[in-house]
């Protein structure tokens, strides 16, 4: 069986819209497989999805309508995953499955 290392970066971004260019620079240099962002401070309709797609990242976000939200972006296909330990509609928590792994 082949072992593949998956790199995960976390970032308390404090407004993803203002720092999307810094995310692009970091992703280009560090090449993480997964990026977990805290305090993105935007709702779904204002998240810079196009910029993340241009970086080759798929994105999943928390679903509550609060300003301090989180997102998980991945080079690998991902889908939302909700463990029982996460409160429903919690803006400060997100969880996904990717490549047979889970991140929360």
């Amino acid at each position: 069986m082949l072992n593949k290392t998956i790199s995960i970066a976390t970032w308390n971004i404090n407004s993803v819209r203002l720092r999307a260019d810094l995310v692009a620079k970091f992703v280009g240099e560090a090449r993480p497989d997964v990026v977990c962002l805290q305090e993105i401070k935007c709702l779904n309709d204002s998240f810079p999805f196009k910029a993340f797609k241009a970086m080759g990242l798929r994105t999943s976000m928390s679903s509550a309508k609060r300003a301090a939200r989180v997102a998980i972006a991945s080079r690998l296909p991902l889908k939302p995953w909700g463990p029982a330990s996460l409160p429903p509609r919690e803006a400060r928590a997100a969880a996904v499955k990717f490549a047979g792994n889970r991140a929360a």
Side-chain angles (χ1 to χ4, degrees):
M1 172 190 255
L2 252 185
N3 267 342
K4 180 184 179 331
T5 300
I6 296 174
S7 62
I8 299 174
T10 65
W11 189 344
N12 187 330
I13 193 124
N14 194 23
S15 183
V16 69
R17 290 174 296 165
L18 295 177
R19 293 175 177 81
D21 57 334
L22 294 175
V23 175
K25 182 178 179 183
F26 171 75
V27 166
E29 292 174 4
R31 311 271 316 143
D33 296 304
V34 178
V35 180
C36 301
L37 300 171
Q38 301 86 42
E39 295 194 32
I40 62 173
K41 297 192 177 177
C42 67
L43 299 174
N44 290 1
D45 60 352
S46 59
F47 187 87
F49 286 108
K50 288 181 183 179
F52 276 71
K53 187 174 182 178
M55 292 177 228
L57 298 172
R58 300 158 180 90
T59 309
S60 179
M61 300 172 56
S62 61
S63 60
K65 290 187 176 183
R66 294 182 54 178
R69 295 164 44 102
V70 297
I72 299 175
S74 174
R75 294 185 187 284
L76 309 165
L78 55 80
K79 63 181 179 178
W81 167 67
S85 62
L86 287 181
R89 302 186 55 76
E90 171 58 58
R92 293 182 180 138
V96 295
K97 287 184 181 181
F98 61 93
N101 298 289
R102 297 176 184 151

